[in-house]
Amino acid sequence: MRYLILSDIHANHEALSAVLKHARGRYDKTLCLGDLVGYGSDPNEVVEWAREIIETDGAQVIRGNHDKACCGLDSIDDYNPAAQASSIWTAEALSDDNLEFLTVLDKGPLEVAGFDLVHGAPSDEDEYIITTTDAEEMRSHLRTGLTFFGHTHLQGGFFFRRAAVKPIEKVPMKWEELTISIDDHSSFLINPGSVGQPRDGDWRAAYAVYEANDKLVTYYRVEYDAQEARRRMREAGLPLILGDRLLVGK
Ligand code: ZN
C-alpha cells in the first residue's frame, strides 16, 4: 500500500492541484494531517475535494487548528491579525455543508495500519514540534514507530535511535525528491511539509509518499503557480501578507 501524505493545504487549490497531478500513479490512498482551510482563497474547493476522496478513495483526514477555528470549535484570540482576518473570511465563505464537515472531522492521533497521524504533536493536536528538544519531549507519547505530523509547515522531521534524536532534512532546493528508509531500530516523526503555505524557505508545494511494503518515505517538492494563488487571495480581499509569503515560502 502506498499512502499520499498531505498537510496544511490551507485553501490553496492551485498548490493542491499541482501536487495531485505530480503524485498521480504514485499512491493508492490519501491521508491528510489537517488545516484544509485558513489563509487561502479556495476553502470550498479544498473541503469538497476532501469530502469526495473520503467517499471514493477511503481517504482519512484529521482536523487542524485552522479547521477548528474556522468552524467555531476553537477561539482565534491567540492568532495574529492576518490569521484572525483569514479565519473570519473563511467562516463566511464556506457553505453550510462544508462548515458542518469541518466540525465533525476526526481529532489526531489517528492510527492507520500500524502508524499514526497527528496534526501538531502526539501529546496535543495544537502543539508545535520544531526543535530536537520538542521532538525529545514527544518520545514517551509515541504509540508506534512511525508518526506523521504537520502544523509547523516545515518539511522533514526527526528520528530517534537509542538515546539520540536527530533531525531529518527537507528536500534540497536543487532537488525534487528525497527518500528515507523507515528501519525497525528507530522511531520516526515525519513532516511532509505544507501543500499550500510552505514556511521552510522553499516556496514549492510539499508532500510525501509512504510505501508501507518497502518501508520508504519519499519527500517531494513541486513547483506551482504561486503568483496565481497570490492574485486570487488579493482578489478575495485576504490580508496581503498571506499571499506575499507564498512567493518566498516563509
Ligand atoms: Zn497549518
Side-chain angles (χ1 to χ4, degrees):
M1 190 64 141
R2 300 164 305 165
Y3 299 92
L4 174 66
I5 319 280
L6 305 180
S7 192
D8 299 282
I9 298 166
H10 282 296
N12 185 341
H13 196 252
E14 207 66 37
L16 176 62
S17 301
V19 161
L20 295 176
K21 191 173 164 205
H22 189 265
R24 199 170 292 152
R26 298 181 204 265
Y27 67 97
D28 309 299
K29 180 172 167 166
T30 304
L31 304 173
C32 181
L33 311 179
D35 278 0
L36 295 169
V37 303
Y39 300 135
S41 61
D42 322 310
N44 284 303
E45 288 86 340
V46 172
V47 170
E48 276 150 28
W49 161 81
R51 292 172 64 178
E52 191 185 323
I53 57 165
I54 289 172
E55 289 236 327
T56 58
D57 163 48
Q60 285 171 280
V61 179
I62 56 171
R63 68 188 189 183
N65 54 306
H66 285 266
D67 303 322
K68 283 193 290 178
C70 291
C71 69
L73 285 179
D74 212 355
S75 150
I76 57 171
D77 291 350
D78 291 340
Y79 283 17
N80 65 48
Q84 287 189 355
S86 90
S87 271
I88 294 163
W89 182 92
T90 303
E92 281 170 8
L94 280 167
S95 71
D96 290 348
D97 279 2
N98 290 339
L99 267 176
E100 167 67 18
F101 170 82
L102 292 180
T103 64
V104 297
L105 275 178
D106 282 327
K107 171 185 175 175
L110 179 70
E111 195 188 331
V112 179
F115 59 91
D116 280 309
L117 312 181
V118 303
H119 180 62
S123 59
D124 179 340
E125 61 182 338
D126 297 332
E127 199 65 51
Y128 291 89
I129 307 175
I130 298 171
T131 65
T132 48
T133 309
D134 300 336
E136 179 62 52
E137 284 168 17
M138 293 304 141
R139 193 191 276 263
S140 62
H141 296 279
L142 297 176
R143 308 188 305 182
T144 59
L146 176 60
T147 302
F148 291 96
F149 74 105
H151 194 36
T152 61
H153 302 207
L154 306 173
Q155 189 180 55
F158 304 90
F159 68 98
F160 303 81
R161 185 166 292 157
R162 297 195 191 90
V165 187
K166 299 235 168 79
I168 301 169
E169 301 300 330
K170 64 185 164 78
V171 178
M173 289 294 288
K174 283 182 266 180
W175 299 2
E176 287 185 9
E177 59 183 88
L178 179 68
T179 299
I180 64 163
S181 180
I182 304 300
D183 67 78
D184 294 333
H185 309 294
S186 307
S187 297
F188 292 82
L189 271 167
I190 300 283
N191 189 330
S194 168
V195 172
Q197 182 87 218
R199 289 182 197 154
D200 50 13
D202 184 343
W203 64 273
R204 297 174 297 170
Y207 74 97
V209 170
Y210 173 48
E211 295 181 55
N213 295 346
D214 299 333
K215 295 209 145 203
L216 297 174
V217 169
T218 302
Y219 295 98
Y220 292 95
R221 295 308 280 241
V222 187
E223 294 192 357
Y224 78 101
D225 195 345
Q227 290 283 4
E228 173 62 12
R230 174 175 176 264
R231 190 193 63 73
R232 288 226 301 275
M233 286 163 76
R234 288 181 165 229
E235 197 175 84
L238 284 155
L240 300 181
I241 185 179
L242 299 177
D244 291 347
R245 66 192 302 181
L246 293 182
L247 304 184
V248 288
K250 278 193 178 145

